[in-house]
Amino acid sequence: MISEGSCTLDEWNKKSSFDWAGENDIFSALLFWQEGCDGTWQERKCYMVRDRQFYRDFFVMWIVLVLQNVITLSVNLADNMMLGAYSETALAGVAAVNQIQFVYQQLLISFGEAAVILGTQYYGKRQMGPVRELARGAMYCGVALSAVLFLAASVIPRQLMLIFTTDEEIILQGMAYLRVIRFTYLVFAVAQILLYTLRIVGTVRISLYLSVTALLLNCFWNYALIYGRFGFPSYGVAGAAAATLISRLVELGILIGYLALREDKLRLTWRLYLLPLRDARQRTAAPEDRAPASSAALEQTKDAPTARRAHVSLLMADYIRMMLPLMVVNALWGLNNAAQNAILGHMTARAIAANSVASTLFLLVKSTAQGSAATASFFTGKTIGEGDYDRLKLYARTWQVLFVIIGILSGILLFFLRVPILSLYRLAPETSQMADTFLIILSVIIVTMSYQMPVNAGIIKGGGDIRYAVTLDLVSIWCIVIPVSWVAAFVLHASPVVVVWCLNADQIFKAVPAFIKCNFGHWAKKLTR
């Protein structure tokens, strides 16, 4: 980075340390230096980051997270396609069980995000002890939740199915699926919490590799066990659940192997999760390492476990305060999806089919915005932990520009993909035309979503301002979007196109408070002790 000051252009070319295009040239001078009234060249005011390493770090993580989201969605899409080809009733039964899975995943996301937001700040301070304690706390929450869900699926499976449907055939298919899929809950919780823990220290590539593994395994075992191929009997929905269980177990095995053999930042071991809450170092260190050198040191050593337990208690209290609002946000998001589906579900069958086709492609392209949010959240927390708030402001300005560029490119991609993708479906001309209109609308929506989602859920929420995120969702979704959409659909009897605009309107107007809060508000909060 060039230090501030002034010099002649010849002097600048001789002594500048900034390298933009591989060599010091006039292009870099014009970009970052300006000629003053006295004929000297002075450094321009810096509005964006100039360090290429910053962009490299951002886009490496962004690409990995985007690909992971796309592959995860592809796994779900492959499941639906194979089950749909097998039996429509089987697909409906699995879809009902997946509503339970969706709520479960949202709660696990709350546990993981709270650990990431708080843990990245400790990681920025190079304090790994609190990061490990947060990893343990999140794991305990995930395991406890999986135990509760497993118990419910074992004791009252029929009652769970009755929440979503009263059709007896669908209930039987769902119960057959639930009978096997319940064994994945613990495995899934452990794997997801471990992946969130690794994200605290910026390790994300393993999650991409696991997603690819899950896609390949799921497709193979679904084909083999649902239809009875390669010498296996046909198990139907139970086969789909067994395929998921196999892929989950393999994923967890690979992840544990990676943690044991390759991971060197956190150095997680089974002792962290299984030993009682006390100083693991004292339990595992050699006796000579623990022996105090003096009576004063002995007294200090005696007080150390008590002080550590007090510190861990405070850390867990911070974690819970961070986690509870996130649970509210994610629960609202889940209810929002259910409410939107209910509104569209009471419209014409043509609108339902068109929305199903359009939303599938939109979710894939939306992965770019989700990747931006997760990447910005990590670097925001890490920079706050390092205590460099001036650099964080510079990062935030740069990210906002990147988000707009990513949004425009995503909109263009969605707009031009709509025609070849729609040609793959056998739809009635009217349904195809409606789906095409929906995708054109979503091509506009994705531009502003790609800005507001990473700013609100990445920079601001990653900076520790959880209350803002809760308030924004409460007001925008439940006070504006859902009521307006309901009135448009059932009172005004507006066309499906108008209703789709109303349902996605928050992705446009939330960009305004995002810009104001990010550039003029206080959102960078020190969460560490």
Side-chain angles (χ1 to χ4, degrees):
M1 186 72 69
I2 301 174
S3 59
E4 293 185 359
S6 60
C7 60
T8 64
L9 183 57
D10 290 337
E11 291 172 344
W12 177 83
N13 278 321
K14 291 179 181 179
K15 71 178 184 178
S16 173
S17 62
F18 182 74
D19 184 4
W20 176 261
E23 62 183 272
N24 297 320
D25 54 17
I26 191 64
F27 175 71
S28 298
L30 294 176
L31 273 179
F32 302 112
W33 290 72
Q34 58 187 356
E35 187 174 6
C37 298
D38 56 357
T40 62
W41 287 77
Q42 300 176 348
E43 188 179 18
R44 294 180 184 273
K45 187 177 180 180
C46 186
Y47 289 100
M48 291 184 64
V49 176
R50 305 175 185 177
D51 184 7
R52 283 188 294 178
Q53 187 62 41
F54 164 84
Y55 296 97
R56 185 178 297 112
D57 292 342
F58 177 86
F59 281 110
V60 165
M61 180 176 285
W62 178 77
I63 290 171
V64 169
L65 293 175
V66 169
L67 290 177
Q68 179 195 349
N69 287 333
V70 170
I71 293 171
T72 300
L73 290 170
S74 300
V75 171
N76 297 333
L77 183 60
D79 285 348
N80 290 337
M81 291 177 64
M82 291 189 183
L83 279 170
Y86 173 78
S87 167
E88 185 176 333
T89 304
L91 178 60
V94 172
V97 176
N98 284 340
Q99 295 296 318
I100 303 172
Q101 181 82 0
F102 178 75
V103 175
Y104 177 54
Q105 288 178 349
Q106 292 303 305
L107 294 175
L108 288 179
I109 289 173
S110 303
F111 302 155
E113 282 188 341
V116 170
I117 292 172
L118 193 54
T120 49
Q121 294 200 15
Y122 281 106
Y123 177 61
K125 296 176 68 175
R126 296 295 185 265
Q127 295 181 5
M128 301 307 295
V131 173
R132 296 187 185 95
E133 295 295 345
L134 289 169
R136 172 162 49 188
M139 183 63 72
Y140 287 172
C141 291
V143 170
L145 178 64
S146 68
V148 171
L149 186 56
F150 177 84
L151 184 63
S154 301
V155 177
I156 53 170
R158 185 177 184 84
Q159 287 77 1
L160 290 176
M161 292 300 301
L162 285 171
I163 297 175
F164 304 102
T165 182
T166 57
D167 187 294
E168 187 62 27
E169 291 187 10
I170 294 177
I171 290 175
L172 292 176
Q173 292 287 339
M175 290 176 62
Y177 184 77
L178 192 59
R179 194 175 298 119
V180 179
I181 203 69
R182 57 180 172 157
F183 293 102
T184 69
Y185 293 150
L186 175 62
V187 179
F188 181 72
V190 172
Q192 289 302 302
I193 296 300
L194 287 175
L195 289 174
Y196 272 107
T197 302
L198 290 173
R199 190 181 294 183
I200 294 175
V201 296
T203 302
V204 294
R205 290 188 181 183
I206 182 63
S207 61
L208 174 60
Y209 302 149
L210 292 179
S211 297
V212 174
T213 302
L215 177 62
L216 298 177
L217 288 174
N218 239 32
C219 290
F220 173 80
W221 288 109
N222 270 332
Y223 183 71
L225 299 179
I226 292 176
Y227 301 109
R229 300 290 191 267
F230 310 116
F232 292 96
S234 175
Y235 291 105
V237 291
T244 302
L245 177 59
I246 292 171
S247 64
R248 297 292 188 212
L249 287 171
V250 173
E251 280 183 275
L252 183 59
I254 295 174
L255 182 56
I256 291 176
Y258 172 80
L259 291 171
L261 302 176
R262 298 289 302 275
E263 203 279 326
D264 58 357
K265 294 180 181 179
L266 287 166
R267 298 178 181 177
L268 301 175
T269 64
W270 63 271
R271 293 184 179 87
L272 175 67
Y273 300 102
L274 299 182
L275 290 182
L277 190 59
R278 62 183 184 177
D279 194 351
R281 292 182 180 178
Q282 284 194 330
R283 294 180 65 104
T284 57
E288 59 271 17
D289 294 334
R290 299 198 304 264
S294 63
S295 59
L298 179 61
E299 293 299 325
Q300 185 176 3
T301 304
K302 289 180 179 179
D303 294 337
T306 302
R308 181 178 180 275
R309 281 193 292 270
H311 175 73
V312 171
S313 298
L314 291 173
L315 184 62
M316 289 300 101
D318 292 340
Y319 173 71
I320 292 172
R321 280 195 295 268
M322 186 69 58
M323 179 185 65
L324 291 178
L326 289 174
M327 292 178 66
V328 173
V329 170
N330 289 334
L332 289 174
W333 180 250
L335 291 174
N336 171 52
N337 286 342
Q340 290 194 10
N341 289 333
I343 292 173
L344 286 172
H346 285 80
M347 302 190 73
T348 64
R350 185 178 300 156
I352 297 172
N355 180 70
S356 176
V357 173
S359 62
T360 299
L361 180 57
F362 177 69
L363 285 175
L364 290 172
V365 180
K366 179 184 172 182
S367 297
T368 59
Q370 294 172 322
S372 297
T375 305
S377 178
F378 166 75
F379 285 109
T380 298
K382 183 173 179 289
T383 308
I384 292 175
E386 293 169 351
D388 196 340
Y389 292 92
D390 290 335
R391 183 157 55 95
L392 180 60
K393 292 179 180 178
L394 182 61
Y395 283 178
R397 289 198 297 267
T398 305
W399 285 329
Q400 289 178 79
V401 175
L402 295 180
F403 297 157
V404 172
I405 295 173
I406 290 172
I408 293 173
L409 294 177
S410 299
I412 294 173
L413 176 65
L414 183 59
F415 181 83
F416 285 105
L417 278 178
R418 78 188 199 283
V419 175
I421 294 298
L422 288 176
S423 65
L424 300 177
Y425 290 87
R426 293 182 178 179
L427 302 173
E430 297 83 1
T431 305
S432 180
Q433 180 61 41
M434 185 176 292
D436 182 73
T437 303
F438 286 173
L439 285 171
I440 292 174
I441 295 171
L442 294 175
S443 299
V444 177
I445 296 296
I446 194 66
V447 177
T448 53
M449 173 187 281
S450 296
Y451 173 79
Q452 73 84 14
M453 180 185 288
V455 172
N456 288 320
I459 297 176
I460 298 174
K461 189 165 75 173
D465 198 343
I466 305 299
R467 183 179 298 178
Y468 164 83
V470 175
T471 304
L472 185 64
D473 281 343
L474 278 173
V475 173
S476 62
I477 295 176
W478 295 102
C479 297
I480 301 176
V481 170
I482 297 300
V484 170
S485 301
W486 187 88
V487 170
F490 302 119
V491 177
L492 302 178
H493 302 289
S495 68
V497 173
V498 174
V499 174
V500 168
W501 270 115
C502 293
L503 288 172
N504 292 280
D506 63 315
Q507 302 300 332
I508 297 177
F509 64 72
K510 281 198 293 191
V512 176
F515 177 82
I516 295 173
K517 179 73 173 180
C518 186
N519 292 284
F520 304 104
H522 175 67
W523 46 265
K525 300 181 182 296
K526 181 177 178 292
L527 304 174
T528 56
R529 293 183 179 272

